[in-house]
Amino acid sequence: MQRALWVFLFYTLIGPFIAALLAALYAPIAIWTNLAPYTAGDHTPFDVGNLPDFQGIAQLMAQAGLTAFVWSPIAAGLTGICVALIAMQRGSAHWAMAGAIGVAAFFIAYVVFPFDGGDQVTLFAFAAGLVAAAISIFLQKIRIFDPSQAN
């Protein structure tokens, strides 16, 4: 039971933090390359017109990071619950399984609570899966998961 609690806590506390960092790093790249949700209408990618006039890049990065930090605990909580249930039964969860659960939880959370992600939702789901897999590997390294059960 204690293992499940630690797994859930790691996913719900570290997952949103990493998601916020990734979103803050994605915002200036998306603005510059004219990717969603920062599409600048008819501007071509890598155009100076894509850069915002009314706000600074730092403010947009902060807004993207904060939005991701507030939205992502829903998906992280679903991932944490599923991986914790598997860890309770098996003693461990494989990183690929955790990544697949992270992608599925992201899409469930996106269907229930959609956000303006444009055509980049698949990329965000892939990032959620990578974060879930990375947390699973981290949990194996710090021996929250049973090393004898590692796949």
Side-chain angles (χ1 to χ4, degrees):
M1 190 68 170
Q2 188 177 16
R3 176 176 291 143
L5 176 66
W6 280 109
V7 169
F8 178 75
L9 284 175
F10 268 91
Y11 273 97
T12 56
L13 296 175
I14 295 176
F17 175 73
I18 295 172
L21 287 176
L22 290 175
L25 292 174
Y26 172 76
I29 295 168
I31 290 169
W32 186 249
T33 57
N34 204 16
L35 293 174
Y38 303 104
T39 308
D42 59 352
H43 293 282
T44 59
F46 309 108
D47 185 11
V48 178
N50 293 346
L51 298 176
D53 294 332
F54 58 94
Q55 295 176 336
I57 294 292
Q59 184 176 355
L60 285 173
M61 290 174 66
Q63 181 181 6
L66 186 61
T67 302
F69 189 75
V70 169
W71 185 88
S72 63
I74 301 161
L78 288 172
T79 305
I81 288 171
C82 293
V83 174
L85 290 174
I86 292 169
M88 280 178 50
Q89 290 177 343
R90 298 183 180 181
S92 181
H94 194 268
W95 64 267
M97 184 185 309
I101 291 170
V103 171
F106 176 87
F107 276 119
I108 290 170
Y110 180 74
V111 167
V112 176
F113 300 104
F115 62 89
D116 182 27
D119 55 350
Q120 301 298 316
V121 174
T122 307
L123 175 68
F124 299 151
F126 180 71
L130 289 178
V131 169
I135 292 174
S136 175
I137 292 170
F138 180 72
L139 289 172
Q140 285 182 344
K141 294 290 183 191
I142 64 171
R143 300 194 184 271
I144 298 287
F145 286 154
D146 188 7
S148 65
Q149 301 293 325
N151 297 329

